[in-house]
Amino acid sequence: MRVGIARERLEGERRVAATPETVRQLIGLGLEVVVEQGAGEASGHSDASYAEAGAQPAVDLDLASIDVLAHVRPLDPVTVGRLRRGAITVGLASPASELATVRALAEAGVTAFALELVPRISRAQSMDALTSQALIAGYRCVLEAAMRLPRLFPLSMTAAGTIPPARVLVLGAGVAGLQAIATAKRLGARVSANDVRAASADEVRSMGGTFVSLDLDAADASGGYARELGADRAELQRRLLAPHVAEADVLITTAAIPGRRAPRLVTTDMVTAMRPGSVVVDLAAESGGNVEGAIPGADVRVPVHGGAVTLVGMKDAASSMPSDASRLYAKNVANLIELMTVDGELLPDFDDEVVAGAALTHAGMVRHEPTAEALAEASGPRAVYMPPPASAPPETSATSAQPPASGTEGGA
């Protein structure tokens, strides 16, 4: 079977779905690998390095001749239309926001595996792209803040006087938030954090941070995520967070609920209570923003008494560090493909909970029920998902109740 590695065409996307290392892994499974010219250039992998690893070069990837397409960003309906019926795709799909593509995949008879849907179980950790990319994004957030803050992060004691450490507050202690805590600590900042999930306090402390307790009930959801808060509870949370936000030199927000708009944790009034020169970095800006007024890919100067606060809306955070982001992402892709490969053929076993959980479409159906329901709501009776009868064999059953994910992993 032929695995195609596409060159990403979305502006700003610099990652690639395979590296020379994972090309060797795939070839070792008995698969042929075709890499589109320039696919790895932005992440530091030359066409020659892929050829040395055993990949076949292609000036333009002929999608009709590919059995498996590995990609980073969600496909578009036009690209789906170029795939042959029965083809397999592996990559990020953002099903909640890309319903037109999901419908196109189902109608084209494509078996699509969405890395966002990989179950959050120990056996699937090596295939969990949300976690691997959140690790990169959390690190990047701290660097963005440090470059904009007009003071040092660490405590410095000099003959000319003592410089106190910067105070960093992280909201959301998922993978991205924990990485932000660890990075800020390594830079010498005094770090505190908050998350509504029950386990988050111990996780924050394990990274060297101080947990900010708001004396609110925990709000855990399935898959290690936080559940969406009601309006009254969310307002109370903001009021309790306000004094902690005002005291911070740097505020980093990483909270996301898969498949839904990012929760609003910080209002403009809360930002304007911060000191002049403070920096706010919103990792969830692309999915609606944790901070009021955040614009993806832009810095916004929020006027405060005596100056301004810089509000940074992150965009393509993982892609901004394409070498290591691609290293991890490509391994996620290759490990999922390896799980499904038998004697050089991709033969998805839908009795396997990882395979079944990651399956978005197969055999003309949308197998991920929440996405199918969203399609039905958006499109009326033309929905392509149909629950199997109770007597159906496992391979035709609906899969994972895990919610669709399209943003950065983290706790609310």
Side-chain angles (χ1 to χ4, degrees):
M1 296 186 76
R2 306 183 83 208
V3 178
I5 309 301
R7 175 173 59 83
E8 298 296 318
R9 286 167 168 76
L10 185 68
E11 184 179 356
E13 181 53 69
R14 302 166 64 197
R15 291 171 293 179
V16 64
T19 62
E21 177 188 359
T22 62
V23 164
R24 294 186 184 94
Q25 178 181 349
L26 296 175
I27 291 175
L29 298 173
L31 302 168
E32 297 180 30
V33 181
V34 182
V35 179
E36 187 172 12
Q37 187 175 20
E41 184 176 345
S43 58
H45 302 296
S46 66
D47 293 338
S49 67
Y50 285 108
E52 290 171 4
Q56 303 171 22
V59 176
D60 291 304
L61 201 59
D62 180 10
L63 296 183
S65 68
I66 294 299
D67 300 299
V68 183
L69 176 64
H71 59 93
V72 179
R73 289 287 184 160
L75 303 176
D76 58 71
V78 174
T79 300
V80 171
R82 294 168 56 198
L83 295 168
R84 68 169 184 79
R85 195 165 192 85
I88 296 172
T89 66
V90 180
L92 297 171
S94 297
S97 60
E98 301 291 340
L99 293 179
T101 295
V102 175
R103 175 173 292 284
L105 287 164
E107 293 179 345
V110 172
T111 297
F113 292 96
L115 293 180
E116 299 98 327
L117 304 183
V118 170
R120 309 204 101 194
I121 58 177
S122 297
R123 190 166 67 86
Q125 286 180 350
S126 67
M127 309 162 215
D128 187 350
L130 286 186
T131 293
S132 73
Q133 301 307 287
L135 183 80
I136 303 290
Y139 175 82
R140 183 70 186 198
C141 280
V142 177
L143 299 187
E144 296 291 340
M147 288 188 293
R148 290 168 173 80
L149 188 69
R151 53 168 302 186
L152 301 178
F153 265 41
L155 167 70
S156 296
M157 302 178 70
T158 76
T162 298
I163 299 174
R167 296 185 178 186
V168 176
L169 174 62
V170 179
L171 301 183
V175 174
L178 293 174
Q179 177 67 4
I181 294 167
T183 303
K185 284 291 292 183
R186 286 195 292 269
L187 289 177
R190 182 180 299 168
V191 185
S192 58
N194 174 261
D195 192 296
V196 297
R197 293 171 301 119
S200 59
D202 289 339
E203 293 170 348
V204 167
R205 295 185 187 108
S206 73
M207 305 306 292
T210 299
F211 186 74
V212 175
S213 178
L214 303 181
D215 293 325
L216 294 172
D217 293 336
D220 293 85
S222 62
Y225 291 100
R227 61 177 168 81
E228 192 170 14
L229 303 180
D232 291 343
R233 166 70 183 275
E235 177 58 31
L236 175 59
Q237 181 188 34
R238 286 190 288 268
R239 288 204 307 270
L240 294 175
L241 281 173
H244 300 282
V245 170
E247 288 299 313
D249 299 301
V250 170
L251 171 64
I252 296 173
T253 65
T254 69
I257 299 174
R260 300 192 182 187
R261 185 180 178 88
R264 183 56 50 81
L265 304 181
V266 179
T267 64
T268 299
D269 287 345
M270 294 165 71
V271 173
T272 56
M274 299 177 76
R275 288 183 289 272
S278 299
V279 177
V280 178
V281 179
D282 187 351
L283 183 56
E286 289 184 280
S287 57
N290 296 144
V291 183
E292 185 177 8
I295 300 174
D299 285 14
V300 177
R301 300 278 288 175
V302 181
V304 300
H305 180 70
V309 172
T310 302
L311 172 54
V312 183
M314 294 297 289
K315 182 180 181 182
D316 301 325
S319 183
S320 67
M321 309 197 80
S323 179
D324 286 333
S326 295
R327 181 198 302 269
L328 298 179
Y329 182 83
K331 197 66 176 175
N332 297 145
V333 170
N335 288 341
L336 181 56
I337 290 176
E338 181 172 357
L339 178 66
M340 299 185 288
T341 302
V342 180
D343 298 328
E345 298 285 328
L346 251 71
L347 302 172
D349 177 8
F350 292 102
D351 287 337
D352 186 305
E353 62 181 322
V354 176
V355 175
L360 178 59
T361 63
H362 175 64
M365 291 199 310
V366 177
R367 290 183 59 97
H368 184 248
E369 189 169 358
T371 301
E373 291 172 351
L375 260 175
E377 184 176 343
S379 308
R382 294 181 61 233
V384 291
Y385 171 81
M386 183 173 294
S391 60
E395 64 268 23
T396 61
S397 63
T399 64
S400 177
Q402 179 181 346
S406 59
T408 303
E409 191 276 345

